[in-house]
């Protein structure tokens, strides 16, 4: 920084330099520790996409911790080491600028942002390889943007129908319909996502993948479950009054259990599926003052297996 008084500033002592380098090393260690802790903040990893997304989140957490720690450290150092004496009401020393410092605090954020961008591009590229998403016009079921025609999609397919406010899952090859999604572990699956009314969000936190379900389009969405268990599908979009209740269980099981479930489900008669919104709407209508007007929920879909929405789930 320029010094109008002409007095030269004392150089940084070796002790001060060692202390600065030591503090930077401590910030790096803290950032690495926080990055490892970030994995614990997320649900279990249950798909091939989960480790990629979690790795990016951990990387961003580490960088954010380092930047936050560095900025707070400078603020504390300035407040403690450069505070005015008691009753000192003189003006502070004028500072015109420091080119070297400005280059440093511009270059470091640029490098960090570019590192995040490169990492994010790599993750998105790999996610595209694991499960490309093709938008298909309902009026023309051939690819719209470089996707595959319907007769060339992977063999394992599940049709997902979103409504206000329930999910329905159809297995065309087995002629099965259900309101509880079952998937075989370590087997790629293609979802054909369709909305019958408004915009919905197909989101399974344990899978780390989310896809909007757009009215008027059929969207093919691929993923591969990697961990057996019971998870939760949630509507990530504000689709109306009971969108928070628009949830369904996702059961990932072995190939043998999955096939046995399909065979059992195929022999079950059709019955109303699960729809918490229908029950809550009916209870509300019985109240003396039902409150504000709302869109009536769609009737529960007729399915072979309703499933359950009361069993404990992993995420």
């Amino acid at each position: 920084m320029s010094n109008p008084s002409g007095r030269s500033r004392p150089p940084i002592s070796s002790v001060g330099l060692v202390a600065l380098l030591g503090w930077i090393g401590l910030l790096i260690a803290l950032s690495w520790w926080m990055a490892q802790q970030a994995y614990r903040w997320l649900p279990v990893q249950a798909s091939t996409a989960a480790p990629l997304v979690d790795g990016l989140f951990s990387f961003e957490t580490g960088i954010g911790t380092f930047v936050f720690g560095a900025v707070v450290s400078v603020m504390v150092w300035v407040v403690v080491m450069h505070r005015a004496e008691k009753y000192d009401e003189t003006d502070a020393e004028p500072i015109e600028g420091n080119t070297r410092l400005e280059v440093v605090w511009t270059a470091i954020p640029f490098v960090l942002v570019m590192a995040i961008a490169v990492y994010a591009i790599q993750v998105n590229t790999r996610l595209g390889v694991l499960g490309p998403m093709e938008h298909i016009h309902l009026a023309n079921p051939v690819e719209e943007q470089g996707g595959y025609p319907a007769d060339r999609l992977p063999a394992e397919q599940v049709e997902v129908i979103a409504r206000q406010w329930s999910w329905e899952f159809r297995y065309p090859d087995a002629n099965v319909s259900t309101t509880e999604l079952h998937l075989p572990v370590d087997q790629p699956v293609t979802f054909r996502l369709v909305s019958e009314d408004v915009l919905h969000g197909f989101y399974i936190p344990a899978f780390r993948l989310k896809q909007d379900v757009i009215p008027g389009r059929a969207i093919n969405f691929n993923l591969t479950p990697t961990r057996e268990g019971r998870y939760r599908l949630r509507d990530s979009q504000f689709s109306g009054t009971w969108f928070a209740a628009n949830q369904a269980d996702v059961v990932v099981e072995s190939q043998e259990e999955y096939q046995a479930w399909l065979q059992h489900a195929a022999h079950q008669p059709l019955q109303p599926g699960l729809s918490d919104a229908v029950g809550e709407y009916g209870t509300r209508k019985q109240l003396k003052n039902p409150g504000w007007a709302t869109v009536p929920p769609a009737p529960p879909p007729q399915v072979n297996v309703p499933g359950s929405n009361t069993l404990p789930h992993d995420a």
Side-chain angles (χ1 to χ4, degrees), residues 218-239:
I219 300 175
N220 291 324
F221 182 67
N222 301 343
L223 60 83
T224 303
T226 57
R227 182 181 184 273
E228 295 185 24
R230 182 176 291 267
Y231 311 103
R232 200 69 169 162
L233 164 64
R234 308 176 189 275
D235 191 344
S236 61
Q237 295 290 344
F238 180 75
S239 56

Side-chain angles (χ1 to χ4, degrees), residues 163 165-169 177-180 247-248 269-279 298-309:
R163 303 182 179 92
W165 288 269
S166 63
W167 298 94
E168 181 184 357
F169 312 103
S177 180
T178 175
T179 45
E180 180 178 84
Q247 304 186 21
L270 292 178
Q271 54 188 302
L274 296 176
S275 178
D276 290 340
V278 170
Q302 296 295 307
V303 298
N304 301 98
V305 180
S308 173
N309 58 359

Side-chain angles (χ1 to χ4, degrees), residues 10-284:
I12 300 177
S13 65
S14 58
V15 175
L17 181 60
V18 170
L20 176 61
L21 295 177
W23 184 247
I24 293 176
L26 182 61
L27 285 179
I28 293 175
L30 176 63
S31 301
W32 180 87
W33 181 80
M34 287 294 292
Q36 301 309 307
Q37 296 303 308
Y39 288 101
R40 302 183 181 181
W41 305 339
L42 303 172
V44 295
Q45 297 179 352
S47 77
T48 51
L52 301 176
V53 176
D54 290 2
L56 177 59
F57 178 72
S58 172
F59 181 69
E60 292 173 342
T61 300
I63 289 182
T65 301
F66 180 82
V67 172
F68 177 80
V71 171
V72 172
S73 299
V74 173
M75 292 172 60
V76 172
W77 180 76
V78 170
V79 169
V80 173
M81 303 301 296
H82 293 272
R83 61 186 305 171
E85 297 292 338
K86 191 175 182 179
Y87 305 122
D88 184 359
E89 297 181 359
T90 59
D91 292 335
E93 181 179 337
I95 299 176
E96 297 180 3
N98 187 313
T99 303
R100 181 182 304 174
L101 183 59
E102 292 173 359
V103 170
V104 169
W105 73 40
T106 302
I108 292 179
F110 176 79
V111 171
L112 295 179
V113 170
M114 291 305 298
I116 295 175
V118 170
Y119 194 176
I121 291 173
Q122 292 176 348
V123 169
N124 287 331
T125 301
R126 295 186 62 184
L127 288 178
V129 173
L130 292 173
M133 292 169 281
E134 298 90 19
H135 290 215
I136 301 176
H137 280 299
L138 291 178
N140 180 17
V142 183
E143 75 277 11
E144 176 195 348
Q145 297 178 359
Y148 298 97
D151 58 354
R152 290 171 54 194
L153 292 172
E156 192 64 45
Q157 297 184 55
V158 179
E159 184 176 3
V160 180
I161 302 175
R163 303 182 179 92
Q164 292 176 303
W165 288 269
S166 63
W167 298 94
E168 181 184 357
F169 312 103
R170 296 177 181 175
Y171 300 79
D173 294 340
N175 195 26
V176 169
S177 180
T178 175
T179 45
E180 180 178 84
L181 179 60
H182 282 246
L183 300 172
V185 69
D186 295 326
Q187 297 295 322
V189 59
T190 294
F191 297 104
R192 181 181 173 87
L193 306 176
V194 178
S195 171
E196 292 192 345
D197 38 51
V198 298
L199 183 68
H200 296 273
F202 182 84
Y203 179 44
I204 305 173
F207 291 172
R208 306 293 196 278
L209 290 175
K210 178 169 60 176
Q211 173 62 45
D212 291 349
V213 189
I214 305 172
R217 291 179 179 267
I219 300 175
N220 291 324
F221 182 67
N222 301 343
L223 60 83
T224 303
T226 57
R227 182 181 184 273
E228 295 185 24
R230 182 176 291 267
Y231 311 103
R232 200 69 169 162
L233 164 64
R234 308 176 189 275
D235 191 344
S236 61
Q237 295 290 344
F238 180 75
S239 56
T241 306
W242 283 281
F243 84 99
N246 193 16
Q247 304 186 21
D249 275 3
V250 180
V251 180
V252 180
E253 53 201 351
S254 66
Q255 183 70 28
E256 295 74 18
E257 292 174 328
Y258 173 71
Q259 292 298 330
W261 176 83
L262 277 180
Q263 294 178 7
H264 174 75
H267 293 86
Q268 302 303 307
L270 292 178
Q271 54 188 302
L274 296 176
S275 178
D276 290 340
V278 170
E280 294 182 14
Y281 180 78
T283 301
R284 179 180 172 183

